[in-house]
PDB file of all heavy atoms in Angstrom:
ATOM      1  N   GLN E 235      88.157  37.862 105.462  1.00  0.00           N
ATOM      2  CA  GLN E 235      89.125  38.869 105.245  1.00  0.00           C
ATOM      3  C   GLN E 235      88.432  40.176 104.988  1.00  0.00           C
ATOM      4  O   GLN E 235      87.210  40.220 104.649  1.00  0.00           O
ATOM      5  CB  GLN E 235      90.075  38.555 104.117  1.00  0.00           C
ATOM      6  CG  GLN E 235      90.668  37.082 104.113  1.00  0.00           C
ATOM      7  CD  GLN E 235      91.833  37.054 105.202  1.00  0.00           C
ATOM      8  OE1 GLN E 235      92.309  38.079 105.709  1.00  0.00           O
ATOM      9  NE2 GLN E 235      92.278  35.834 105.533  1.00  0.00           N
ATOM     10  N   ARG E 336      92.229  24.910  93.551  1.00  0.00           N
ATOM     11  CA  ARG E 336      91.736  24.990  94.926  1.00  0.00           C
ATOM     12  C   ARG E 336      90.612  25.945  95.091  1.00  0.00           C
ATOM     13  O   ARG E 336      90.399  26.822  94.218  1.00  0.00           O
ATOM     14  CB  ARG E 336      92.896  25.388  95.955  1.00  0.00           C
ATOM     15  CG  ARG E 336      93.404  26.820  95.684  1.00  0.00           C
ATOM     16  CD  ARG E 336      94.539  27.064  96.638  1.00  0.00           C
ATOM     17  NE  ARG E 336      95.178  28.367  96.463  1.00  0.00           N
ATOM     18  CZ  ARG E 336      94.817  29.497  97.016  1.00  0.00           C
ATOM     19  NH1 ARG E 336      93.758  29.516  97.914  1.00  0.00           N
ATOM     20  NH2 ARG E 336      95.452  30.617  96.850  1.00  0.00           N
ATOM     21  N   PHE E 340      86.403  28.266 102.728  1.00  0.00           N
ATOM     22  CA  PHE E 340      86.645  27.231 103.765  1.00  0.00           C
ATOM     23  C   PHE E 340      85.410  26.462 104.139  1.00  0.00           C
ATOM     24  O   PHE E 340      84.360  27.051 104.388  1.00  0.00           O
ATOM     25  CB  PHE E 340      87.275  27.850 104.950  1.00  0.00           C
ATOM     26  CG  PHE E 340      87.413  26.810 106.089  1.00  0.00           C
ATOM     27  CD1 PHE E 340      88.556  26.047 106.213  1.00  0.00           C
ATOM     28  CD2 PHE E 340      86.441  26.754 107.165  1.00  0.00           C
ATOM     29  CE1 PHE E 340      88.715  25.128 107.190  1.00  0.00           C
ATOM     30  CE2 PHE E 340      86.624  25.810 108.156  1.00  0.00           C
ATOM     31  CZ  PHE E 340      87.741  24.999 108.236  1.00  0.00           C
ATOM     32  N   VAL E 341      85.499  25.122 104.216  1.00  0.00           N
ATOM     33  CA  VAL E 341      84.436  24.266 104.688  1.00  0.00           C
ATOM     34  C   VAL E 341      85.011  23.179 105.545  1.00  0.00           C
ATOM     35  O   VAL E 341      86.041  22.649 105.189  1.00  0.00           O
ATOM     36  CB  VAL E 341      83.571  23.591 103.531  1.00  0.00           C
ATOM     37  CG1 VAL E 341      82.494  22.790 104.029  1.00  0.00           C
ATOM     38  CG2 VAL E 341      83.105  24.724 102.526  1.00  0.00           C
ATOM     39  N   ASP E 342      84.323  22.904 106.626  1.00  0.00           N
ATOM     40  CA  ASP E 342      84.781  21.890 107.505  1.00  0.00           C
ATOM     41  C   ASP E 342      84.118  20.495 107.328  1.00  0.00           C
ATOM     42  O   ASP E 342      82.974  20.311 107.519  1.00  0.00           O
ATOM     43  CB  ASP E 342      84.453  22.296 109.001  1.00  0.00           C
ATOM     44  CG  ASP E 342      85.062  21.326 109.997  1.00  0.00           C
ATOM     45  OD1 ASP E 342      85.709  20.330 109.630  1.00  0.00           O
ATOM     46  OD2 ASP E 342      84.753  21.476 111.291  1.00  0.00           O
ATOM     47  N   TYR E 353      78.243  25.980 111.757  1.00  0.00           N
ATOM     48  CA  TYR E 353      78.699  26.737 112.932  1.00  0.00           C
ATOM     49  C   TYR E 353      77.436  27.443 113.446  1.00  0.00           C
ATOM     50  O   TYR E 353      76.762  28.219 112.753  1.00  0.00           O
ATOM     51  CB  TYR E 353      79.795  27.683 112.548  1.00  0.00           C
ATOM     52  CG  TYR E 353      81.085  27.031 112.051  1.00  0.00           C
ATOM     53  CD1 TYR E 353      81.463  27.088 110.737  1.00  0.00           C
ATOM     54  CD2 TYR E 353      81.888  26.391 112.996  1.00  0.00           C
ATOM     55  CE1 TYR E 353      82.634  26.455 110.339  1.00  0.00           C
ATOM     56  CE2 TYR E 353      83.057  25.733 112.554  1.00  0.00           C
ATOM     57  CZ  TYR E 353      83.431  25.835 111.210  1.00  0.00           C
ATOM     58  OH  TYR E 353      84.552  25.180 110.817  1.00  0.00           O
ATOM     59  N   GLU E 361      89.124  32.752 118.287  1.00  0.00           N
ATOM     60  CA  GLU E 361      90.007  31.643 117.931  1.00  0.00           C
ATOM     61  C   GLU E 361      89.531  30.905 116.656  1.00  0.00           C
ATOM     62  O   GLU E 361      90.311  30.466 115.835  1.00  0.00           O
ATOM     63  CB  GLU E 361      90.184  30.669 119.111  1.00  0.00           C
ATOM     64  CG  GLU E 361      90.873  31.229 120.285  1.00  0.00           C
ATOM     65  CD  GLU E 361      90.070  32.238 121.120  1.00  0.00           C
ATOM     66  OE1 GLU E 361      88.797  32.141 121.042  1.00  0.00           O
ATOM     67  OE2 GLU E 361      90.713  33.117 121.766  1.00  0.00           O
ATOM     68  N   LEU E 362      88.205  30.649 116.577  1.00  0.00           N
ATOM     69  CA  LEU E 362      87.651  29.980 115.389  1.00  0.00           C
ATOM     70  C   LEU E 362      87.989  30.729 114.109  1.00  0.00           C
ATOM     71  O   LEU E 362      88.455  30.181 113.177  1.00  0.00           O
ATOM     72  CB  LEU E 362      86.184  29.795 115.580  1.00  0.00           C
ATOM     73  CG  LEU E 362      85.455  29.218 114.305  1.00  0.00           C
ATOM     74  CD1 LEU E 362      85.910  27.812 114.008  1.00  0.00           C
ATOM     75  CD2 LEU E 362      83.949  29.341 114.473  1.00  0.00           C
ATOM     76  N   ILE E 363      87.611  32.041 114.102  1.00  0.00           N
ATOM     77  CA  ILE E 363      87.869  32.820 112.893  1.00  0.00           C
ATOM     78  C   ILE E 363      89.314  32.911 112.537  1.00  0.00           C
ATOM     79  O   ILE E 363      89.690  32.777 111.388  1.00  0.00           O
ATOM     80  CB  ILE E 363      87.178  34.191 113.073  1.00  0.00           C
ATOM     81  CG1 ILE E 363      85.761  34.088 113.413  1.00  0.00           C
ATOM     82  CG2 ILE E 363      87.498  35.052 111.768  1.00  0.00           C
ATOM     83  CD1 ILE E 363      84.905  33.337 112.383  1.00  0.00           C
ATOM     84  N   GLN E 364      90.162  33.070 113.534  1.00  0.00           N
ATOM     85  CA  GLN E 364      91.609  33.171 113.316  1.00  0.00           C
ATOM     86  C   GLN E 364      92.145  31.835 112.812  1.00  0.00           C
ATOM     87  O   GLN E 364      93.042  31.819 111.869  1.00  0.00           O
ATOM     88  CB  GLN E 364      92.330  33.537 114.597  1.00  0.00           C
ATOM     89  CG  GLN E 364      92.159  35.006 114.974  1.00  0.00           C
ATOM     90  CD  GLN E 364      92.856  35.387 116.251  1.00  0.00           C
ATOM     91  OE1 GLN E 364      93.206  34.451 117.114  1.00  0.00           O
ATOM     92  NE2 GLN E 364      93.147  36.592 116.482  1.00  0.00           N
ATOM     93  N   SER E 365      91.619  30.695 113.284  1.00  0.00           N
ATOM     94  CA  SER E 365      92.022  29.423 112.769  1.00  0.00           C
ATOM     95  C   SER E 365      91.657  29.197 111.289  1.00  0.00           C
ATOM     96  O   SER E 365      92.418  28.631 110.505  1.00  0.00           O
ATOM     97  CB  SER E 365      91.486  28.323 113.603  1.00  0.00           C
ATOM     98  OG  SER E 365      90.011  28.167 113.440  1.00  0.00           O
ATOM     99  N   ILE E 366      90.436  29.706 110.907  1.00  0.00           N
ATOM    100  CA  ILE E 366      90.003  29.594 109.530  1.00  0.00           C
ATOM    101  C   ILE E 366      90.879  30.438 108.609  1.00  0.00           C
ATOM    102  O   ILE E 366      91.349  30.070 107.559  1.00  0.00           O
ATOM    103  CB  ILE E 366      88.547  30.070 109.345  1.00  0.00           C
ATOM    104  CG1 ILE E 366      87.635  28.987 110.085  1.00  0.00           C
ATOM    105  CG2 ILE E 366      88.168  30.172 107.868  1.00  0.00           C
ATOM    106  CD1 ILE E 366      86.167  29.427 110.180  1.00  0.00           C
ATOM    107  N   ARG E 367      91.210  31.609 109.139  1.00  0.00           N
ATOM    108  CA  ARG E 367      92.091  32.599 108.355  1.00  0.00           C
ATOM    109  C   ARG E 367      93.524  32.020 108.142  1.00  0.00           C
ATOM    110  O   ARG E 367      94.154  32.384 107.163  1.00  0.00           O
ATOM    111  CB  ARG E 367      92.178  33.935 109.049  1.00  0.00           C
ATOM    112  CG  ARG E 367      90.907  34.740 108.928  1.00  0.00           C
ATOM    113  CD  ARG E 367      90.777  35.857 109.969  1.00  0.00           C
ATOM    114  NE  ARG E 367      91.986  36.666 110.005  1.00  0.00           N
ATOM    115  CZ  ARG E 367      92.095  37.871 109.441  1.00  0.00           C
ATOM    116  NH1 ARG E 367      91.161  38.298 108.630  1.00  0.00           N
ATOM    117  NH2 ARG E 367      93.245  38.583 109.487  1.00  0.00           N
ATOM    118  N   LYS E 368      93.902  31.116 109.009  1.00  0.00           N
ATOM    119  CA  LYS E 368      95.239  30.608 108.951  1.00  0.00           C
ATOM    120  C   LYS E 368      95.320  29.174 108.424  1.00  0.00           C
ATOM    121  O   LYS E 368      96.416  28.615 108.261  1.00  0.00           O
ATOM    122  CB  LYS E 368      95.953  30.683 110.313  1.00  0.00           C
ATOM    123  CG  LYS E 368      96.136  32.103 110.823  1.00  0.00           C
ATOM    124  CD  LYS E 368      96.740  32.045 112.208  1.00  0.00           C
ATOM    125  CE  LYS E 368      96.938  33.442 112.757  1.00  0.00           C
ATOM    126  NZ  LYS E 368      97.450  33.485 114.180  1.00  0.00           N
ATOM    127  N   THR E 369      94.179  28.575 108.182  1.00  0.00           N
ATOM    128  CA  THR E 369      94.087  27.175 107.762  1.00  0.00           C
ATOM    129  C   THR E 369      94.784  26.964 106.426  1.00  0.00           C
ATOM    130  O   THR E 369      94.640  27.764 105.501  1.00  0.00           O
ATOM    131  CB  THR E 369      92.586  26.706 107.710  1.00  0.00           C
ATOM    132  OG1 THR E 369      91.996  26.768 108.967  1.00  0.00           O
ATOM    133  CG2 THR E 369      92.501  25.330 107.189  1.00  0.00           C
ATOM    134  N   ARG E 370      95.590  25.890 106.352  1.00  0.00           N
ATOM    135  CA  ARG E 370      96.142  25.501 105.105  1.00  0.00           C
ATOM    136  C   ARG E 370      95.349  24.390 104.466  1.00  0.00           C
ATOM    137  O   ARG E 370      94.733  23.528 105.179  1.00  0.00           O
ATOM    138  CB  ARG E 370      97.581  25.012 105.343  1.00  0.00           C
ATOM    139  CG  ARG E 370      98.550  26.091 105.799  1.00  0.00           C
ATOM    140  CD  ARG E 370      98.827  27.096 104.759  1.00  0.00           C
ATOM    141  NE  ARG E 370      99.956  27.924 105.028  1.00  0.00           N
ATOM    142  CZ  ARG E 370     101.158  27.672 104.557  1.00  0.00           C
ATOM    143  NH1 ARG E 370     101.441  26.609 103.802  1.00  0.00           N
ATOM    144  NH2 ARG E 370     102.255  28.506 104.859  1.00  0.00           N
ATOM    145  N   ILE E 371      95.331  24.264 103.161  1.00  0.00           N
ATOM    146  CA  ILE E 371      94.719  23.119 102.514  1.00  0.00           C
ATOM    147  C   ILE E 371      95.728  21.988 102.647  1.00  0.00           C
ATOM    148  O   ILE E 371      96.808  22.057 102.989  1.00  0.00           O
ATOM    149  CB  ILE E 371      94.397  23.468 101.059  1.00  0.00           C
ATOM    150  CG1 ILE E 371      95.655  23.872 100.281  1.00  0.00           C
ATOM    151  CG2 ILE E 371      93.315  24.581 101.000  1.00  0.00           C
ATOM    152  CD1 ILE E 371      95.388  24.221  98.837  1.00  0.00           C
ATOM    153  N   ASP E 372      95.197  20.802 102.221  1.00  0.00           N
ATOM    154  CA  ASP E 372      95.982  19.540 102.407  1.00  0.00           C
ATOM    155  C   ASP E 372      97.104  19.350 101.332  1.00  0.00           C
ATOM    156  O   ASP E 372      97.643  18.319 101.203  1.00  0.00           O
ATOM    157  CB  ASP E 372      95.062  18.342 102.414  1.00  0.00           C
ATOM    158  CG  ASP E 372      94.282  18.238 101.199  1.00  0.00           C
ATOM    159  OD1 ASP E 372      94.411  19.016 100.315  1.00  0.00           O
ATOM    160  OD2 ASP E 372      93.426  17.265 101.144  1.00  0.00           O
ATOM    161  N   ARG E 373      97.361  20.400 100.494  1.00  0.00           N
ATOM    162  CA  ARG E 373      98.481  20.388  99.577  1.00  0.00           C
ATOM    163  C   ARG E 373      99.001  21.785  99.527  1.00  0.00           C
ATOM    164  O   ARG E 373      98.414  22.729 100.051  1.00  0.00           O
ATOM    165  CB  ARG E 373      97.980  19.862  98.169  1.00  0.00           C
ATOM    166  CG  ARG E 373      96.799  20.664  97.604  1.00  0.00           C
ATOM    167  CD  ARG E 373      96.321  20.042  96.330  1.00  0.00           C
ATOM    168  NE  ARG E 373      95.188  20.788  95.750  1.00  0.00           N
ATOM    169  CZ  ARG E 373      93.983  20.617  96.117  1.00  0.00           C
ATOM    170  NH1 ARG E 373      93.709  19.684  96.997  1.00  0.00           N
ATOM    171  NH2 ARG E 373      92.946  21.278  95.497  1.00  0.00           N
ATOM    172  N   CYS E 375      99.573  25.463  99.101  1.00  0.00           N
ATOM    173  CA  CYS E 375      98.710  26.596  98.815  1.00  0.00           C
ATOM    174  C   CYS E 375      99.443  27.651  98.114  1.00  0.00           C
ATOM    175  O   CYS E 375     100.299  28.340  98.694  1.00  0.00           O
ATOM    176  CB  CYS E 375      98.039  27.069 100.068  1.00  0.00           C
ATOM    177  SG  CYS E 375      96.781  28.403  99.847  1.00  0.00           S
ATOM    178  N   THR E 382     101.703  30.649  99.688  1.00  0.00           N
ATOM    179  CA  THR E 382     101.039  31.751 100.396  1.00  0.00           C
ATOM    180  C   THR E 382     100.441  31.144 101.770  1.00  0.00           C
ATOM    181  O   THR E 382     100.096  29.998 101.858  1.00  0.00           O
ATOM    182  CB  THR E 382      99.946  32.397  99.665  1.00  0.00           C
ATOM    183  OG1 THR E 382      99.357  33.463 100.397  1.00  0.00           O
ATOM    184  CG2 THR E 382      98.873  31.393  99.256  1.00  0.00           C
ATOM    185  N   SER E 383     100.403  32.013 102.755  1.00  0.00           N
ATOM    186  CA  SER E 383      99.748  31.651 104.013  1.00  0.00           C
ATOM    187  C   SER E 383      98.277  32.000 104.099  1.00  0.00           C
ATOM    188  O   SER E 383      97.534  31.589 104.942  1.00  0.00           O
ATOM    189  CB  SER E 383     100.466  32.325 105.178  1.00  0.00           C
ATOM    190  OG  SER E 383     100.301  33.709 105.031  1.00  0.00           O
ATOM    191  N   MET E 384      97.773  32.665 103.002  1.00  0.00           N
ATOM    192  CA  MET E 384      96.402  33.012 102.869  1.00  0.00           C
ATOM    193  C   MET E 384      95.707  32.207 101.838  1.00  0.00           C
ATOM    194  O   MET E 384      95.812  32.508 100.683  1.00  0.00           O
ATOM    195  CB  MET E 384      96.255  34.519 102.519  1.00  0.00           C
ATOM    196  CG  MET E 384      94.803  34.987 102.537  1.00  0.00           C
ATOM    197  SD  MET E 384      94.542  36.655 102.053  1.00  0.00           S
ATOM    198  CE  MET E 384      95.590  37.586 103.238  1.00  0.00           C
ATOM    199  N   CYS E 385      95.034  31.129 102.334  1.00  0.00           N
ATOM    200  CA  CYS E 385      94.326  30.218 101.408  1.00  0.00           C
ATOM    201  C   CYS E 385      92.859  30.474 101.234  1.00  0.00           C
ATOM    202  O   CYS E 385      92.249  30.205 100.165  1.00  0.00           O
ATOM    203  CB  CYS E 385      94.501  28.825 101.864  1.00  0.00           C
ATOM    204  SG  CYS E 385      96.254  28.259 101.987  1.00  0.00           S
ATOM    205  N   PHE E 386      92.257  31.060 102.250  1.00  0.00           N
ATOM    206  CA  PHE E 386      90.819  31.210 102.276  1.00  0.00           C
ATOM    207  C   PHE E 386      90.408  32.701 102.464  1.00  0.00           C
ATOM    208  O   PHE E 386      90.967  33.357 103.319  1.00  0.00           O
ATOM    209  CB  PHE E 386      90.102  30.317 103.306  1.00  0.00           C
ATOM    210  CG  PHE E 386      90.387  28.847 103.057  1.00  0.00           C
ATOM    211  CD1 PHE E 386      91.242  28.145 103.934  1.00  0.00           C
ATOM    212  CD2 PHE E 386      89.705  28.139 102.016  1.00  0.00           C
ATOM    213  CE1 PHE E 386      91.469  26.806 103.690  1.00  0.00           C
ATOM    214  CE2 PHE E 386      89.949  26.795 101.876  1.00  0.00           C
ATOM    215  CZ  PHE E 386      90.816  26.107 102.660  1.00  0.00           C
ATOM    216  N   LEU E 387      89.395  33.120 101.655  1.00  0.00           N
ATOM    217  CA  LEU E 387      88.886  34.425 101.780  1.00  0.00           C
ATOM    218  C   LEU E 387      87.465  34.392 102.373  1.00  0.00           C
ATOM    219  O   LEU E 387      87.024  35.389 102.952  1.00  0.00           O
ATOM    220  CB  LEU E 387      88.759  35.122 100.403  1.00  0.00           C
ATOM    221  CG  LEU E 387      90.112  35.222  99.607  1.00  0.00           C
ATOM    222  CD1 LEU E 387      89.817  35.921  98.280  1.00  0.00           C
ATOM    223  CD2 LEU E 387      91.180  35.883 100.432  1.00  0.00           C
TER     224      LEU E 387
END
Side-chain angles (χ1 to χ4, degrees):
Q235 308 286 349
R336 64 180 177 90
F340 173 84
V341 181
D342 182 7
Y353 297 107
E361 291 74 24
L362 171 67
I363 303 302
Q364 287 179 338
S365 68
I366 292 174
R367 284 159 54 94
K368 297 177 181 178
T369 297
R370 293 293 195 96
I371 57 178
D372 57 1
R373 55 184 180 276
C375 182
T382 180
S383 60
M384 187 186 298
C385 300
F386 298 105
L387 306 181

